[in-house]
Amino acid sequence: MNQSPSQHWQAQSYAEHARFVADYGTPLLELLSPQPHERILDLGCGDGVLTQQIAQTGCKVVGLDGSADFVAAARGLGIDAVLGDGQQLDFDQEFDAVFSNAALHWMVDAEAVVRGMARALKKGGRVVAEFGGEGNIATIQTALTESLAAHGLQPRPCWYFPSENAYRTLLEKHGFNVQHIGLYPRPTPLPTGMAGWLATFAAPILPANINNETRRQVLERTVAMVEQVLPKENGQTVADYMRLRVLAVKAV
Ligand code: BEZ
């Protein structure tokens, strides 16, 4: 099975550095509007904090994630969670909705994901998703790329940040009617700073064989570059997140 980069994450460190990810996902639950009779797939469920909120509305939820640690954390919350790769979904017309918050940008084979979501949904089922879109974390990505280049290294491709048009086209190709798609800036204060963010999220972009000292220098340089550019709010660095929010319905 192709493992997604999220397999490297550990639920405890994620909770410390990235609790805001689930907090920002709460408005997406309103767009999902889960109904008690429904069966819903939470694609890239992470540690299950949002999945639990969906389950509390009375519907049946399955969480799927590529990280064994996250799956264990979600199960600890009582979620029916399975380990799997979102690029290789194996569900057949069994869900009323696919929900996904801050996960689809980690799945670089976006066409495989959309094909799998279309197959997983019943006719008339919906996708409600939000993830990084065009321009997302551009300052951070540029600083990481330049810091790696200073050591003769290149970033590994690990993120997918599509434009509105590119994602609409992909959804329509796989039989979805797009009811809403919008790209919007969501400046995001980082509770444990740029260093905490990099410690949580940067591993997949760094070359697999990078040595500890080079890694330290790359991350230190990235922090210094980013801190010069990104604004601060109440002492916290504010990252340049761009979100793509989607509501699409599988044609009947
Ligand atoms: C995001 O949520 O946009 C994101 C988080 C970590 C790495 C890349 C993107």
Side-chain angles (χ1 to χ4, degrees):
M1 182 173 73
N2 248 350
Q3 297 285 340
S4 92
S6 67
Q7 70 176 319
H8 300 291
W9 296 343
Q10 299 207 312
Q12 201 176 347
S13 142
Y14 190 82
E16 181 191 348
H17 295 291
R19 172 55 50 234
F20 65 87
V21 174
D23 294 343
Y24 277 114
T26 303
L28 201 60
L29 295 180
E30 282 165 35
L31 189 60
L32 176 65
S33 182
Q35 302 301 307
H37 62 275
E38 289 187 318
R39 190 158 182 260
I40 295 177
L41 174 66
D42 184 356
L43 178 51
C45 66
D47 58 11
V49 169
L50 272 181
T51 328
Q52 188 182 41
Q53 290 181 35
I54 298 171
Q56 281 164 351
T57 67
C59 62
K60 292 209 167 20
V61 192
V62 175
L64 181 140
D65 205 278
S67 156
D69 205 50
F70 276 162
V71 168
R75 286 182 181 161
L77 295 177
I79 305 298
D80 175 9
V82 293
L83 183 64
D85 184 342
Q87 297 157 121
Q88 298 183 11
L89 292 178
D90 194 19
F91 302 104
D92 196 5
Q93 302 199 57
E94 49 196 282
F95 291 103
D96 298 286
V98 175
F99 174 84
S100 186
N101 177 55
L104 297 184
H105 50 248
W106 291 102
M107 303 173 200
V108 289
D109 189 351
E111 178 137 30
V113 175
V114 173
R115 189 186 300 114
M117 294 194 299
R119 185 166 161 248
L121 284 168
K122 300 172 187 170
K123 288 180 181 164
R126 62 200 186 282
V127 170
V128 174
E130 186 168 292
F131 59 105
E134 188 175 33
N136 192 41
I137 58 162
T139 304
I140 303 171
Q141 204 170 359
T142 302
L144 272 166
T145 303
E146 289 181 12
S147 301
L148 284 167
H151 293 267
L153 299 170
Q154 286 193 334
R156 286 193 289 173
C158 65
W159 295 323
Y160 167 70
F161 300 139
S163 67
E164 252 176 62
N165 274 346
Y167 208 66
R168 175 191 289 278
T169 301
L170 193 54
L171 287 163
E172 288 175 349
K173 178 176 173 191
H174 290 276
F176 285 100
N177 294 317
V178 178
Q179 298 202 337
H180 169 81
I181 188 159
L183 183 69
Y184 70 98
R186 196 202 66 201
T188 302
L190 304 179
T192 57
M194 200 58 238
W197 190 95
L198 290 170
T200 311
F201 293 120
I205 202 174
L206 303 175
N209 59 352
I210 192 167
N211 69 52
N212 285 343
E213 179 53 20
T214 307
R215 177 194 165 91
R216 192 192 62 74
Q217 288 180 23
V218 165
L219 296 183
E220 196 176 275
R221 187 184 180 120
T222 302
V223 172
M225 289 175 75
V226 164
E227 300 278 359
Q228 280 177 11
V229 179
L230 290 178
K232 291 229 193 292
E233 193 180 290
N234 301 324
Q236 290 184 350
T237 302
V238 181
D240 48 349
Y241 277 43
M242 294 292 296
R243 300 285 94 176
L244 191 63
R245 183 173 287 193
V246 176
L247 170 60
V249 175
K250 178 173 167 175
V252 288

